[in-house]
Amino acid sequence: MTETSRRLPARTWAMIATVAGLVAILAAILTPLLPVNERTATIDWPDRDLASAASVSVTAPLVAQTPTGLDVTIGCRTLAEA
């Protein structure tokens, strides 16, 4: 067998590319329709008035907790020892 006879014909590669493209398009169309499960965190704590037995339920937003700033102080002696 020669090198060229072992290769797949161009028509086969075209068919593979066409099927892969159709699968990708179908996946892109169906992805927004996938089910989504969202869990909402709730925090319960007693009222300030300890005489009342009712507690207040608060829904906490699902946001990332990131600091607004960071101040770091490193002494010169520490940097010199490093």
Side-chain angles (χ1 to χ4, degrees), residues 14-26:
M15 184 61 71
I16 292 172
T18 302
V19 170
L22 290 175
V23 168
I25 290 171
L26 183 66

Side-chain angles (χ1 to χ4, degrees), residues 51-67:
S52 74
S55 63
V56 178
S57 177
V58 175
T59 301
L62 299 175
V63 296
Q65 301 295 320
T66 57

Side-chain angles (χ1 to χ4, degrees), residues 37-54:
N37 294 328
E38 178 184 349
R39 295 184 182 172
T40 303
T42 58
I43 303 169
D44 296 329
W45 62 79
D47 237 354
R48 286 184 183 240
D49 182 17
L50 297 177
S52 74

